[in-house]
Amino acid sequence: MSATVENHIHDDHDVHHHKETFITKYIFSQDHKMIAKQYLITGVLVMGVIGILMSLMIRMQIAWPEQPNVIFDTLLGKWAPDGVMDADIYLALVTIHGTLMVFFVLTAGLSGTFSNLLIPLQIGARDMASGFLNMVSYWLFFVSCVIMIASFFVEAGPAAAGWTIYPPLSALPLAQGGSGLGMTLWLVSMAIFIASSLLGSLNYIVTVINLRTKGMSMTRLPLTIWAFFVTAVIGVISFPVLLSAALLLIMDRSFGTSFFLSDIFIQGEVLHYQGGSPVLFEHLFWFLGHPEVYIVLLPALGITSEIIATNSRKPIFGYRAMVASILAIAFLSTIVWGHHMFISGMNPFLGSVFTFTTLLIAIPSAVKAFNYITTLWKGNLQMNPAMLFSIGLVSTFITGGLTGIILGDSALDINVHDTYFVVAHFHLVMGISALYGVFAGIYHWFPRMYGRMMNKNLGYLHFWVTAICAYGVFFPMHFIGMAGLPRRYYTNSNFPLFDDTTNTQMVITMFALVGGAVQLVFLYNFISSIFYGKKSEQNPWRSNTLEWTAPVKHMHGNWPGAIPHVYRWSYDYSKPGHEEDFVPQNVPLKEGEEELHH
């Protein structure tokens, strides 16, 4: 039986090797490295540019409301008559911006790129457990992207119920323009996206459990793999709940059910819906929505662990504590969703339970933050762009996390719920932190993907301008939030109470425009380096993990000969008794050498 399987695998390998056409190599590829590049370009670059462009339009509208703007006139057409943004399209921009950035860029773009690229290479596998499912996962993601963007071109406009799509705005097609066909396309797109995400996650889990090379025990895995693995587990647990919410919403919209609707009046006329509860939708949405924060954040933290250890030339501090904190975050993330709903009429006792579990999650988060700082302490720091973005992530993770303690407390949250304070908190802790993880990963593994180096000086420019602008945008938002300014209003000029915040809004928008513009430097650096970057050596960062032992060329199976065996953990940096300050995992232990106890 085993001989048959081996022969089959060998034949399969030959088929891939000899009969590759342009379509099977670049379009319907089953090679994990090519699929990683497809996710990177579709998810991070294309969807990221669209999402950032929307955020800049949102910021310009808030800073200079009701003023003609040639950009609005050009990009929004009928939604900006004479260049003045329509109120309805403002909420639609907020909705699609949030959806694209949270799901398409930071979930699919981040996990899809780096899980695909690194899991087989770092565990010593020829490819993913199922190359075909991997390909299907990407193309489902691609279709969902196309449908989401297509919703901008329907007559009544795209979905406009906020990215959380609460009923009744999302459940009644007649509620507003953005509740019509655009909302239906949003739901269809998300259902396909969730199918893609589940296929990808199952593939990652099976690959990590079953395909590790000889000697690669779970305690020798790099922290990147632990993070991707646990992220996939969270996704498999929580994404089906959002799928059920989307399907029930489709039923309410199209088939006359009342899961989320009750006692609805439109223009004085009572509708036939009764017995449903919009709060039920909130529970279903946030049961995914909070684990989603960690689906976005954990891969970025895993990438940071690898980059900080490599560029500090030191073993990561507290490896087992880091693994334990990843597992603790994963468990706790599924029992804190109620903190998004403190003002939904929740029983105060239940509110206190969710407060307790939310504050508990600060403990494993703090373990990670302190371990990063301790790894950096007295290290031989190599300050390349990837390292700077990783340190930037630790900074925003801490500053964004501290405001989470306020929002996680039911008594304190009531004062700032649905204000700009919330916007500032989650953009720092989730948005900016995860984006820094994406950038760090791209700068670090670009040589592994393309065999060339990105321009370091452009990378420095990109980091410093991005870092200053990110704090310039989101730090002042805390203060206008504490002043009571609500989020999602397309103009605040009707409220004399908020006139004092106008200048702050302009400052925030100026930072946002500069921060958005500097991403063009990154795009230029990325695209030009693919073709003209300096050729890289096989292991440019002198790193220990297995991906740097494989040749950088398009080949099926990753290693031309036998798969390397593993003899040590992945963080043997600056180990006494070795000439070099790094010892790759595939180097056998010397006689008398002890493996580090971590």
Side-chain angles (χ1 to χ4, degrees):
M1 178 68 193
S2 61
T4 315
V5 173
E6 280 175 25
N7 287 338
H8 173 72
I9 291 169
H10 184 72
D11 294 344
D12 196 41
H13 182 268
D14 284 351
V15 167
H16 281 284
H17 198 69
H18 295 304
K19 297 182 181 173
E20 225 163 29
T21 63
F22 179 84
I23 289 176
T24 58
K25 183 173 178 181
Y26 292 110
I27 300 174
F28 296 112
S29 174
Q30 295 188 26
D31 178 48
H32 71 98
K33 301 181 290 297
M34 185 55 66
I35 293 172
K37 292 176 188 176
Q38 290 175 323
Y39 268 111
L40 175 62
I41 288 162
T42 313
V44 176
L45 300 187
V46 177
M47 294 315 229
V49 166
I50 296 170
I52 288 171
L53 201 58
M54 287 180 193
S55 68
L56 296 181
M57 288 197 281
I58 292 165
R59 284 306 327 162
M60 287 189 282
Q61 165 63 18
I62 292 175
W64 302 289
E66 292 158 22
Q67 290 183 20
N69 187 317
V70 67
I71 297 173
F72 297 164
D73 200 24
T74 308
L75 294 178
L76 299 178
K78 71 171 185 176
W79 301 110
D82 301 323
V84 178
M85 188 185 288
D86 184 67
D88 287 340
I89 199 66
Y90 176 80
L91 187 54
L93 285 173
V94 171
T95 303
I96 306 295
H97 161 74
T99 306
L100 288 190
M101 297 309 282
V102 171
F103 294 111
F104 291 73
V105 178
L106 297 178
T107 301
L110 178 52
S111 279
T113 300
F114 293 106
S115 296
N116 268 308
L117 177 71
L118 296 177
I119 286 177
L121 284 167
Q122 288 196 340
I123 68 172
R126 292 285 183 202
D127 206 312
M128 283 289 178
S130 170
F132 178 75
L133 274 189
N134 213 9
M135 176 189 77
V136 171
S137 168
Y138 168 73
W139 282 104
L140 285 175
F141 168 62
F142 184 83
V143 169
S144 71
C145 289
V146 170
I147 293 172
M148 188 63 74
I149 299 305
S151 71
F152 258 90
F153 300 96
V154 300
E155 183 68 26
W163 78 276
T164 53
I165 59 159
Y166 283 176
L169 274 184
S170 59
L172 289 173
L174 299 175
Q176 56 171 352
S179 299
L181 179 58
M183 189 70 238
T184 304
L185 289 173
W186 191 100
L187 289 165
V188 171
S189 172
M190 282 308 299
I192 295 170
F193 174 86
I194 292 166
S196 156
S197 179
L198 289 174
L199 286 178
S201 295
L202 290 169
N203 218 350
Y204 306 151
I205 292 167
V206 172
T207 306
V208 171
I209 290 175
N210 287 340
L211 298 186
R212 302 191 307 279
T213 187
K214 186 178 179 184
M216 180 64 87
S217 62
M218 293 298 275
T219 51
R220 285 175 175 172
L221 286 175
L223 288 169
T224 36
I225 303 301
W226 270 107
F228 299 146
F229 174 67
V230 172
T231 299
V233 172
I234 304 174
V236 167
I237 291 167
S238 56
F239 262 119
V241 181
L242 182 63
L243 181 61
S244 68
L247 293 176
L248 296 181
L249 200 48
I250 289 170
M251 288 181 165
D252 273 12
R253 292 170 56 78
S254 305
F255 302 110
T257 57
S258 301
F259 291 107
F260 305 131
L261 293 168
S262 185
D263 307 328
I264 299 284
F265 295 80
I266 287 189
Q267 293 171 342
E269 179 192 347
V270 62
L271 301 186
H272 68 278
Y273 299 105
Q274 58 185 32
S277 166
V279 175
L280 169 62
F281 179 85
E282 291 188 34
H283 280 291
L284 292 175
F285 182 91
W286 288 115
F287 189 82
L288 161 91
H290 200 82
E292 170 65 21
V293 171
Y294 294 100
I295 290 171
V296 163
L297 202 49
L298 281 180
L301 292 171
I303 287 167
T304 295
S305 303
E306 180 63 32
I307 293 173
I308 284 182
T310 300
N311 289 305
S312 299
R313 314 311 295 164
K314 275 178 64 182
I316 192 83
F317 183 87
Y319 174 89
R320 288 177 188 240
M322 292 293 253
V323 172
S325 66
I326 289 173
L327 295 170
I329 284 171
F331 169 68
L332 290 171
S333 75
T334 59
I335 53 170
V336 297
W337 79 91
H339 66 218
H340 296 268
M341 301 169 56
F342 283 144
I343 61 165
S344 66
M346 177 186 285
N347 182 316
F349 174 73
L350 189 57
S352 66
V353 172
F354 279 121
T355 298
F356 175 68
T357 56
T358 302
L359 298 184
L360 268 186
I361 213 164
I363 298 169
S365 302
V367 167
K368 296 194 83 62
F370 286 127
N371 282 7
Y372 290 136
I373 293 166
T374 321
T375 304
L376 291 166
W377 178 251
K378 293 192 174 177
N380 175 17
L381 304 185
Q382 316 292 306
M383 287 298 186
N384 49 47
M387 180 66 153
L388 288 174
F389 273 110
S390 296
I391 295 170
L393 185 153
V394 177
S395 166
T396 54
F397 185 55
I398 294 169
T399 49
L402 287 173
T403 53
I405 295 172
I406 295 164
L407 293 168
D409 189 306
S410 52
L412 299 176
D413 172 72
I414 290 168
N415 304 293
V416 286
H417 192 94
D418 258 343
T419 67
Y420 271 81
F421 193 87
V422 179
V423 179
H425 158 72
F426 78 77
H427 276 83
L428 275 180
V429 80
M430 181 171 92
I432 299 299
S433 296
L435 272 180
Y436 283 0
V438 171
F439 290 137
I442 291 172
Y443 282 110
H444 188 75
W445 280 289
F446 189 88
R448 177 49 262 187
M449 284 191 274
Y450 295 104
R452 294 178 183 272
M453 305 292 282
M454 289 180 77
N455 184 304
K456 199 186 239 186
N457 292 331
L458 290 180
Y460 290 142
L461 174 69
H462 177 218
F463 169 74
W464 285 111
V465 178
T466 301
I468 292 164
C469 289
Y471 274 130
V473 169
F474 297 114
F475 197 69
M477 275 191 194
H478 293 95
F479 299 104
I480 58 177
M482 286 191 286
L485 188 66
R487 63 202 272 207
R488 296 187 182 166
Y489 284 20
Y490 86 110
T491 173
N492 302 300
S493 53
N494 295 334
F495 307 101
L497 172 66
F498 299 129
D499 285 349
D500 290 347
T501 64
T502 308
N503 289 337
T504 312
Q505 294 280 27
M506 288 183 188
V507 169
I508 289 172
T509 299
M510 297 310 291
F511 274 117
L513 290 169
V514 175
V518 83
Q519 305 317 312
L520 296 173
V521 173
F522 167 73
L523 277 178
Y524 167 77
N525 192 1
F526 181 86
I527 294 165
S528 68
S529 297
I530 291 175
F531 302 105
Y532 309 114
K534 189 178 91 177
K535 284 233 167 110
S536 100
E537 52 196 273
Q538 185 158 324
N539 188 357
W541 314 119
R542 299 158 65 78
S543 191
N544 289 342
T545 40
L546 291 182
E547 75 269 28
W548 304 106
T549 64
V552 183
K553 60 180 181 181
H554 184 84
M555 58 174 289
H556 187 73
N558 294 334
W559 288 271
I563 296 176
H565 290 181
V566 167
Y567 300 94
R568 57 183 73 238
W569 72 324
S570 51
Y571 298 104
D572 268 347
Y573 292 105
S574 305
K575 190 173 187 184
H578 288 269
E579 292 175 17
E580 298 278 4
D581 65 353
F582 71 108
V583 192
Q585 284 187 281
N586 60 333
V587 173
L589 293 169
K590 291 180 177 177
E591 196 174 330
E593 181 186 355
E594 286 187 26
E595 186 173 359
L596 279 180
H597 294 291
H598 31 269

